[in-house]
């Protein structure tokens, strides 16, 4: 029986299919793994990048609020020290007055205190005021109210009246916020004990306070200008957590609610006196979490400056950074997927007959890819606030993307006519047009263009606003029949420019400059305040800067910089030193900086710091010290003169004795008055001598001495003293007369004094106004056996005054018959007119 041939369709399997089955399964598995890798790898990269961006955003926020807190601390120190200076001046004004005298002179003292409170401040802002209280807490006089408020138990119970009463009271007290009874404006104050009042209190006893108050609207506006970003809060906080001032308003908060929670870690750190505190915590007022930096105000002030940024603001900044990364990550994922799909399609194409279907799929894939690429480019431009454009120089055709129209506040259909070079130039700020045209011409020559300029953008309400743009472009030469084109992109940099302006305002307000020093390269960058303060100092290298430091301060500054670089646990420093100005003078700087170290090696990488001009404070301190010495010495001399006047007056006739004593004391008062009045205009030398010697001798013409006074002879040509020479020369003459009253010819009724002067020609080529020589000759007094064993303070005052202030020299001759002193004074320093005109 014949076997039937198998039917072709009856075959259940094929060797080819059986062989290809596992291979196809492996291809499908590899495809799945490839697709998974294409999706997960960019997402993993994006996740790592997003995490790092978040860490950088948070650290950047910490760094910016730290810098803002540093700037606010410096502002607070200047503000508080300014109030202390006002309190010191107010205390000097009220020194020696009893409470009754202060109340009796309220009108006069009110004007004086108002002048002290408003010094260097616009009168219409009324930023500060000063008020004096007696020991019971009742107001004596105020700079902003006349008459001063009467007794008030509320004022008497305020903490500055209580904190300064104990014997161990602080040198100064910073109060919490109060609301003015009359003005209704919130304020806080700086208070100090009143010293030197004539109320009969024991030395060191509490005898009232002086209060210098600061309105919050003034302090809040200044703090608001220091914020590094919109929405940042800047505040001043007492070490016990009481809020003193804050940028922006306080809303509905009552003054007693303006404080940190007592159990807050920040309060515990402030109580410990830590110099810098960084923390992240929810706000007590609105519950929003903020990253905050607190900086202790220098000078032992119980105050911290705080700067805080809300977490939503940090998140928003992070999102702006991550958005382009997300777009790029999505693009990378899609690109890898497309590559894998294209690879599979190419392999399948060789095995499939339906090539037309595969070709259609490839065309569709590529079309979708182009659409997605265009969408990604547009999203990237929108996320970056950028607009693209192209321009053909030969034809003048200018094409803007829709983002460019949006960047300028225009619509691509309604404002199509504006998309021309002339239309765009009409939107450019008039002061930047010439600069932009020059940059375009340079770009056509060099092939690239980078420029920043201002345009007027149209807002939704129709008004125009000024916006800064950063433009970068490249020229593509003509090729393949296509014309040459310049293609570029414009980015909105308005926020960056505003930040730079705020930084410039902050550095200008600090009367100094900020600098950055990179140790590896030696590069130093300083803000423009260095040139304004010292002249051509912004570009000095580190070595050149150190060379300008005063020789007496150089070793100390070198030691501080060396320590902060070599000591791993030390990151900051603060030092005061002198540096040379361009005009040859010296400026005192308070320099404070912080070193950042390489996290991998621990070596110092760069230093960021700020230097503030404290020359005025240094000069004020030196003048205050000299003034105290001079006041002490002048008081002793005045008492000596009065004692001598009493001793030399005959006591036979009581009426004559009283009249003579009164006349001499009046003469002394006239001499002191002349010293103050002559600083405003030049006066004759003889008139100055008459006034300065009136309390000591008689300078009457004809040789007739007044009863009981030694006689003096004044002789010399007419000479007019310059205003700046009157007071120093009068002081020198007063010192000589006081010395003669104590020890010389004026200590005896028969003593004689001759004061003569003459004008001599000066050295050739040195002093065209010549030399004023004034001779002081005593006779008829006690015999001088030898010069004094040591120089007294009065002798040093004469030498210092003549040499330092008048540029002259002093010759002392301690002859037995009496002292002889010759003062040689350069005419250019002491004379108001030429010598010939004076003669």
């Amino acid at each position: 029986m014949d076997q039937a041939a198998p039917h072709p369709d009856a075959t259940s399997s094929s060797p080819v299919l059986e062989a290809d089955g596992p291979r196809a399964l492996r291809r499908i598995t590899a495809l799945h793994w490839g697709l998974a890798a294409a999706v997960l790898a960019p997402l993993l990269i994006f996740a790592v990048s997003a995490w790092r961006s978040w860490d950088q955003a948070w650290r950047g926020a910490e760094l910016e609020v730290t810098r803002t807190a540093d700037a606010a601390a410096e502002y607070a120190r200047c503000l508080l020290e300014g109030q202390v200076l006002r309190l010191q001046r107010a205390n000097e004004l009220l020194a020696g007055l009893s409470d009754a005298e202060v109340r009796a002179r309220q009108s006069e003292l009110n004007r004086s205190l108002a002048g002290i409170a408003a010094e260097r401040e616009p009168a219409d802002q009324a930023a500060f005021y000063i008020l004096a209280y007696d020991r019971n807490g009742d107001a004596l006089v105020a700079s902003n109210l006349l008459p001063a408020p009467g007794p008030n138990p509320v004022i008497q119970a305020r903490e500055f009246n209580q904190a300064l009463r104990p014997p161990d009271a602080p040198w100064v007290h910073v109060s919490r916020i109060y609301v003015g009874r009359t003005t209704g404006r919130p304020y806080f104050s700086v208070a100090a004990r009143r010293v030197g009042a004539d109320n009969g209190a024991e030395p060191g006893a509490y005898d009232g306070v002086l209060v210098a108050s600061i309105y919050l609207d003034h302090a809040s506006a200044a703090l608001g200008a220091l914020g590094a970003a919109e929405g940042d809060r800047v505040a001043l906080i007492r070490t016990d957590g009481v809020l003193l001032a804050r940028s922006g308003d306080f809303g509905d908060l009552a003054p007693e609610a303006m404080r940190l929670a007592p159990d807050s870690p920040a309060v515990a750190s402030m109580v410990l006196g830590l110099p810098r505190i960084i923390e992240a915590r929810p706000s007590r007022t609105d519950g929003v979490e903020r990253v905050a930096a607190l900086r202790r105000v220098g000078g032992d002030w119980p105050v911290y400056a705080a700067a805080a940024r809300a977490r939503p603001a940090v998140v928003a900044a992070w999102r702006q950074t991550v958005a382009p990364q997300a777009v790029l990550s999505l693009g990378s994922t899609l690109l890898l997927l497309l590559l894998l799909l294209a690879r599979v399609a190419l392999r399948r194409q060789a095995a499939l007959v339906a090539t037309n279907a595969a070709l259609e799929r490839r065309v569709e894939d590529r079309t979708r890819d182009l659409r997605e690429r265009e969408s990604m480019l547009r999203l990237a431009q929108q996320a970056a606030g950028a607009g693209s454009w192209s321009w053909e120089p030969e034809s003048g055709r200018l094409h803007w993307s829709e983002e460019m129209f949006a960047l300028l506040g225009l619509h691509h259909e309604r404002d199509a006519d504006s998309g021309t070079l002339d239309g765009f130039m009409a939107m450019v700020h008039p002061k930047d047009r010439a600069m932009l045209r020059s940059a375009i011409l340079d770009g056509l020559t060099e092939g690239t263009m980078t420029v920043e300029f201002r345009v007027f953008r149209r807002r939704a309400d129709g008004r125009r606003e000024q916006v800064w743009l950063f433009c970068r472009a490249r020229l593509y030469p003509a090729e393949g029949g296509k014309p040459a084109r310049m293609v570029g992109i414009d980015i909105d940099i308005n926020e960056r420019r505003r930040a730079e302006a705020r930084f410039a305002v902050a550095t200008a307000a600090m009367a100094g400059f900020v600098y950055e020093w990179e140790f590896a390269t030696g590069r130093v960058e300083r803000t423009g305040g260095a040139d304004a303060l010292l002249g051509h100092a912004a570009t000095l290298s580190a070595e050149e800067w150190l060379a300008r430091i005063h020789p007496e301060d150089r070793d100390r500054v070198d030691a501080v910089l060396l320590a902060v670089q070599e000591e791993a646990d030390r990151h900051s420093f603060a030092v005061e030193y002198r540096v040379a100005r361009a005009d040859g003078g010296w400026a005192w700087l308070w320099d404070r900086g912080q070193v950042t170290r390489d996290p991998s090696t621990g070596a110092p990488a760069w230093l960021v710091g700020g230097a503030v001009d404290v020359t005025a404070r240094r000069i004020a301190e030196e003048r205050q010290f000299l003034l105290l010495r001079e006041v002490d010495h002048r008081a002793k001399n005045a008492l000596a003169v009065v004692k001598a006047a009493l001793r030399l007056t005959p006591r036979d006739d009581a009426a004559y004795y009283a009249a003579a004593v009164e006349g001499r004391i009046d003469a002394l008062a006239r001499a002191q008055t002349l010293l103050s009045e002559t600083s405003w205009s030049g006066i004759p030398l003889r008139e100055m001598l008459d006034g300065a010697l009136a309390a000591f001798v008689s300078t009457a013409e004809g040789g007739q001495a007044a009863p009981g006074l030694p006689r003096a002879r004044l002789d010399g040509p007419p000479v007019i003293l310059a205003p700046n020479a009157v007071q120093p020369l009068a002081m020198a003459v007063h010192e000589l007369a006081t010395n003669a009253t104590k020890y010389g010819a004026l200590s005896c009724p028969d003593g004689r004094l001759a004061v003569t002067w003459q004008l001599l020609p000066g050295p050739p080529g040195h002093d065209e106004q010549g030399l004023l020589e004034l001779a002081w000759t005593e006779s008829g007094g006690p015999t001088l056996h030898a010069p004094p064993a040591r120089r007294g303070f009065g002798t040093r005052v004469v030498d210092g005054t003549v040499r330092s202030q008048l540029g002259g020299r002093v010759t002392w001759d301690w002859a037995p018959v009496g002292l002889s002193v010759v003062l040689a004074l350069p005419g250019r320093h002491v004379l108001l007119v030429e010598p010939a005109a004076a003669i």
Side-chain angles (χ1 to χ4, degrees), residues 98-314:
S98 66
D99 293 346
E101 291 173 324
V102 173
R103 288 190 172 95
R105 296 171 55 185
Q106 268 200 39
S107 179
E108 170 193 351
L109 296 176
N110 168 263
R111 292 191 298 272
S112 299
L113 288 178
I116 294 173
E119 187 174 11
R120 295 190 299 273
E121 297 292 336
D124 57 343
Q125 291 186 5
F128 314 106
Y129 75 84
I130 301 172
L131 202 149
Y133 294 90
D134 63 15
R135 68 185 66 179
N136 297 321
D138 295 334
L140 292 173
V141 62
S143 65
N144 63 333
L145 295 174
L146 184 66
N152 189 316
V154 176
I155 300 297
Q156 295 168 358
R158 284 188 173 173
E159 61 178 8
F160 56 76
N161 271 322
Q162 305 302 322
L164 296 174
R165 288 180 177 273
D168 59 343
W171 70 281
V172 70
H173 174 74
V174 180
S175 78
R176 65 181 182 83
I177 297 174
Y178 296 105
V179 178
R181 298 168 54 199
T182 304
T183 63
R185 297 168 66 186
Y187 68 91
F188 71 93
S189 61
V190 178
R193 278 188 170 191
R194 184 182 171 201
V195 179
D198 189 15
N199 291 320
E202 293 293 330
Y206 176 81
D207 201 8
V209 296
L210 288 169
V211 178
S213 297
I214 305 167
Y215 285 116
L216 260 60
D217 49 7
H218 172 83
S220 298
L223 293 175
L226 297 176
E230 186 175 357
D232 284 4
R233 285 189 177 178
V234 186
L236 299 181
I237 307 173
R238 224 166 52 179
T239 52
D240 58 356
V242 173
L243 194 63
L244 299 177
R246 187 179 74 181
S247 59
D249 55 22
F250 289 89
D252 298 327
L253 288 177
E256 56 270 16
M258 298 175 186
R259 63 179 303 148
L260 302 181
D263 57 349
S264 169
V267 174
S269 299
M270 288 191 294
V271 171
L272 293 175
L274 298 182
R276 177 170 289 156
I277 305 164
I278 299 178
E279 64 172 4
R281 57 178 174 80
S283 172
R284 185 183 180 189
T285 57
D286 54 12
V288 177
E289 183 181 5
R290 288 180 170 85
V291 55
L294 289 85
R295 182 63 170 163
R296 185 179 178 88
V297 177
D300 296 329
W301 286 98
V303 178
Y304 277 75
R309 179 171 298 177
R311 182 185 181 92
V314 181

Side-chain angles (χ1 to χ4, degrees), residues 29-44 333 336-337 340:
T29 303
L31 177 62
H32 288 170
W33 281 108
L35 291 174
V39 173
L40 294 178
L43 293 179
L44 180 61
T333 302
L336 290 175
L337 287 173
L340 287 173

Side-chain angles (χ1 to χ4, degrees), residues 176 194 210 334 348 366 387-388 488 525 527 653 688-689 703 712 779 837:
R176 65 181 182 83
R194 184 182 171 201
L210 288 169
L334 294 177
R348 293 290 302 273
R366 291 185 178 182
S388 59
E525 292 184 0
T527 57
D653 186 347
M688 186 278 294
L689 292 173
S779 61

Side-chain angles (χ1 to χ4, degrees), residues 24 130 143 175 224 230 392 411 469 494 564 580 596 628 683 774 829:
I130 301 172
S143 65
S175 78
E230 186 175 357
E392 298 177 5
H411 191 273
L469 297 182
N494 219 39
V564 80
T596 300
L628 292 175
I683 67 166
L774 188 145
H829 290 166

Side-chain angles (χ1 to χ4, degrees), residues 681-746:
S681 62
I683 67 166
L685 174 58
R686 185 181 184 90
E687 181 179 338
M688 186 278 294
L689 292 173
D690 282 335
L693 297 174
F696 306 94
V697 298
S698 172
T699 59
E701 299 290 343
Q704 296 297 324
L709 278 179
R711 189 169 59 197
R713 178 173 61 89
L714 306 181
D715 188 19
V719 173
I720 304 298
L721 295 177
N724 61 340
V726 172
Q727 190 170 5
L729 189 54
M731 182 179 294
V733 172
H734 181 77
E735 292 298 332
L736 290 172
T738 302
N739 183 74
T741 302
K742 292 179 179 179
Y743 315 110
L746 302 187

